[in-house]
Amino acid sequence: MLQQKPSLLIVEDEEDILALLHFNLIKADYNVTCAACGEEALQILQQQTPDLILLDLMLPGISGLEICERLRDTPETAQLPIIMLTACGEEEDIVRGLELGADDYVTKPFSIKVLLARIVTVLRRNSETDSVQDEKLVRGDLHIHPGRNLVKVAGEAVELTFTEFRVLEALASKPGWVFTRYQIVNTVRGEDYAVTDRAVDVQIAGLRKKLGPCGHYIETVRGVGYRFREDLSS
Ligand code: CA
């Protein structure tokens, strides 16, 4: 028997896009199932659990965001990787989707090459189990020692506040992931600190300054939030 191909469910109501995706993903050697609306997607998901779902947000009937929420609320699909297909100008929905637990998004019109790369990345991330907590995170010239609240930039120790440390640790532990401000707030919540969107921006600005030559590792994702860069070479 052949090795099993990863299975994808595409949820998209625009026929042209659905056909394009179907064609290219089959060609890229995935098992592909298609749904043209949210209801159909939910029906399919009752029969089978794909390895990843490509989810258009603007759907007739049940919206993409609603599907995302339902999947996350169901134990069997709580970890199912979701890449949202979004349109330009849907930043608010992107933020909402990421907060509901979607893994990533691509904005239409997207290049198939970019989408394929995202799919590979999300599938890989999902198969990696969380690394040991005490392990040092090394990202370019930046060394983060989670157990010891210690950060070094090119070998030099840098003093961060506890909140800054937590924000950096969260971002750096998932390079390439976009964190909304709300998600960043959540990672530091519980400390007696009144965190607002504005406060997150202030924390990031402070972090970038203290990280000096590594400051640019933290990228602003316009209208959405922040991300630790995957490619640190430039
Ligand atoms: Ca649509």
Side-chain angles (χ1 to χ4, degrees):
M1 188 147 161
L2 292 169
Q3 202 187 354
Q4 215 177 359
K5 304 172 185 180
S7 58
L8 309 179
L9 171 63
I10 313 169
V11 190
E12 170 64 79
D13 62 311
E14 283 153 83
E15 276 178 36
D16 295 354
I17 299 180
L18 189 61
L20 178 84
L21 288 172
H22 184 255
F23 174 80
N24 282 285
L25 292 169
I26 294 274
K27 211 171 86 181
D29 215 21
Y30 290 105
N31 270 323
V32 181
T33 309
C34 296
C37 66
E39 286 80 357
E40 197 183 343
L42 291 174
Q43 268 175 20
I44 291 169
L45 286 163
Q46 282 181 348
Q47 321 286 330
Q48 52 174 250
T49 307
D51 293 308
L52 183 144
I53 172 163
L54 290 177
L55 180 62
D56 181 30
L57 288 192
M58 290 277 271
L59 293 167
I62 305 173
S63 76
L65 287 176
E66 214 178 314
I67 294 177
C68 196
E69 193 168 16
R70 289 204 201 178
L71 293 179
R72 287 300 175 252
D73 286 345
T74 309
E76 295 77 38
T77 55
Q79 303 296 327
L80 176 60
I82 300 171
I83 298 179
M84 301 181 282
L85 306 174
T86 65
C88 204
E90 286 184 346
E91 279 81 8
E92 271 182 41
D93 287 341
I94 294 170
V95 167
R96 183 106 176 81
L98 291 171
E99 281 162 4
L100 287 171
D103 295 84
D104 204 347
Y105 64 93
V106 289
T107 304
K108 297 175 197 171
F110 46 81
S111 98
I112 287 292
K113 228 174 116 183
V114 167
L115 178 66
L116 288 174
R118 297 284 176 86
I119 291 173
V120 169
T121 306
V122 170
L123 284 174
R124 191 188 60 216
R125 276 178 197 154
N126 202 56
S127 65
E128 287 167 358
T129 43
D130 285 354
S131 56
V132 187
Q133 264 303 299
D134 266 357
E135 219 169 281
K136 181 169 73 174
L137 289 173
V138 180
R139 305 279 182 250
D141 286 335
L142 187 64
H143 290 209
I144 304 166
H145 303 255
R148 293 192 283 152
N149 278 13
L150 176 68
V151 171
K152 285 185 178 175
V153 173
E156 297 273 330
V158 173
E159 272 207 33
L160 300 182
T161 65
F162 188 66
T163 304
E164 286 168 345
F165 185 86
R166 293 282 300 274
V167 172
L168 177 64
E169 187 187 7
L171 294 173
S173 66
K174 292 179 171 178
W177 283 66
V178 180
F179 285 74
T180 67
R181 289 179 176 77
Y182 177 76
Q183 286 172 322
I184 294 173
V185 166
N186 263 350
T187 67
V188 295
R189 195 181 266 170
E191 324 314 324
D192 53 354
Y193 192 94
V195 196
T196 59
D197 279 10
R198 173 77 192 121
V200 169
D201 294 339
V202 171
Q203 294 292 339
I204 296 281
L207 252 178
R208 279 183 177 144
K209 206 168 157 194
K210 288 184 182 176
L211 296 180
C214 295
H216 70 286
Y217 289 4
I218 302 173
E219 259 184 334
T220 303
V221 183
R222 235 189 139 79
V224 179
Y226 294 97
R227 131 176 91 202
F228 197 90
R229 294 171 57 155
E230 225 162 356
D231 176 15
L232 303 174
S233 57
S234 57

